[in-house]
Amino acid sequence: MLDIAYLKLQLHFSGVMKLPRWMGSAFRGGLGQHLKRIVCYYPLRECDGCERSSDCLFYAAYQKPSGKRGHAPPPRPVVLVPPFFGKEIELSRDARLELRLLMLGDYARYFPYVILALQQFGSYGLGDARHLGQNRFEVAGARCEFSGELVYEGGTIYPSRAKAVDVTDLPPVGQKRLRVGFKTPIDLPLGFPPSPEHLLKLIRQRLVLLVNEYGSGERVPDFKCKGEVKPIAKHYHRLVGYSRRSGRREFWNCWTGIADYNFEEIDETGKWLLSVGKVLGAGAKSSFGLGFFDFI
């Protein structure tokens, strides 16, 4: 249905680290600038007229204007998920940061290029503080979450240690009572937390888009569930990002928080979708690292 590569990267900030409250836009934009320098055969040529665009990681991740179905821009095959602190963070030397990396479909094999681009990106620095010589980092290591092995260590990339998994092979979640930590902002116009049915719907919607664009295109099955949710903590966020193509972008109605879910009834598809959501997240704007959660 859909192949996924799932890595966790350790970033080492050797100097002063002054991070913005939301890093999703900054990481995505910085990666794009350096990814193009690494993979592009014709850097002065427009992407839309390039004969290599059909198999180009940069074009698919940043430039492709419409998806296989419809005219809207597609979800992107490279997803960076930095932690969300909700406020500016300033730390002294030798700080470390964990960065999730998801790569989808046939593009999963290109993960070495993303690691190289991030390494080059780090030498310039993240966000506006880079102009002051701050926020410079290096990729200290990377581990594949599916194989459990290090795929980047000591400056060497080990592609054979990475393992891509078909989404249908993810094991279903067994528990009916779950405490869910929404680690990065999720777009919820109706407020936080989403009901059990709405959470599964948002997971399925994201999966459908990804399967249509980077997978088999087959129909994702429907689910049945019934239950209740109790909020434990919630925080509202209005996010602002910038890109060279779109300029200023604002994301309203975003939330982080913790909620207790009690699935009184849930079928096997619903249990499987919960497992999918733990990896792929839920809702819109996956390419900005939005909508990712864990069970805590």
Side-chain angles (χ1 to χ4, degrees), residues 125-189:
L126 171 73
D128 292 339
R130 71 185 185 277
H131 301 300
L132 303 176
Q134 300 174 356
N135 287 359
R136 293 178 181 174
F137 64 86
E138 64 175 353
V139 181
R143 183 181 300 273
C144 174
E145 288 297 290
F146 294 138
S147 70
E149 296 190 70
L150 289 171
V151 297
Y152 180 73
E153 183 181 24
T156 302
I157 298 174
Y158 301 95
S160 63
R161 297 179 181 177
K163 178 183 178 182
V165 170
D166 190 287
V167 71
T168 58
D169 292 330
L170 295 175
V173 171
Q175 307 97 305
K176 289 189 175 182
R177 293 180 179 270
L178 297 166
R179 175 161 288 187
V180 180
F182 293 86
K183 301 293 188 178
T184 69
I186 182 170
D187 186 21
L188 295 170

Side-chain angles (χ1 to χ4, degrees), residues 179-182 192-193 230-235 256-260 296:
R179 175 161 288 187
V180 180
F182 293 86
F192 182 92
K230 177 183 177 182
I232 304 300
K234 60 181 180 179
H235 306 279
T256 55
I258 301 172
D260 283 341
I296 57 178

Side-chain angles (χ1 to χ4, degrees), residues 144-259:
C144 174
E145 288 297 290
F146 294 138
S147 70
E149 296 190 70
L150 289 171
V151 297
Y152 180 73
E153 183 181 24
T156 302
I157 298 174
Y158 301 95
S160 63
R161 297 179 181 177
K163 178 183 178 182
V165 170
D166 190 287
V167 71
T168 58
D169 292 330
L170 295 175
V173 171
Q175 307 97 305
K176 289 189 175 182
R177 293 180 179 270
L178 297 166
R179 175 161 288 187
V180 180
F182 293 86
K183 301 293 188 178
T184 69
I186 182 170
D187 186 21
L188 295 170
L190 299 180
F192 182 92
S195 69
E197 183 177 7
H198 190 45
L199 175 60
L200 288 174
K201 181 179 178 182
L202 291 173
I203 295 169
R204 185 179 181 274
Q205 285 176 344
R206 178 173 287 192
L207 179 60
V208 167
L209 290 173
L210 297 176
V211 168
N212 288 343
E213 191 66 26
Y214 303 110
S216 63
E218 66 189 87
R219 183 180 179 277
V220 177
D222 290 318
F223 63 88
K224 292 183 179 179
C225 83
K226 178 181 177 183
E228 56 186 12
V229 60
K230 177 183 177 182
I232 304 300
K234 60 181 180 179
H235 306 279
Y236 170 79
H237 309 280
R238 174 186 170 190
L239 306 178
V240 178
Y242 299 88
S243 72
R244 291 188 175 185
R245 293 191 69 196
S246 305
R248 178 185 171 98
R249 300 187 65 176
E250 296 189 23
F251 303 98
W252 300 74
N253 303 313
C254 291
W255 298 84
T256 55
I258 301 172

Side-chain angles (χ1 to χ4, degrees), residues 41-61:
Y41 283 89
Y42 311 110
L44 299 181
R45 186 180 297 179
E46 292 293 329
C47 290
D48 290 337
C50 179
E51 63 270 20
R52 294 181 177 269
S53 63
S54 62
D55 195 38
C56 175
L57 177 61
F58 174 77
Y59 180 77

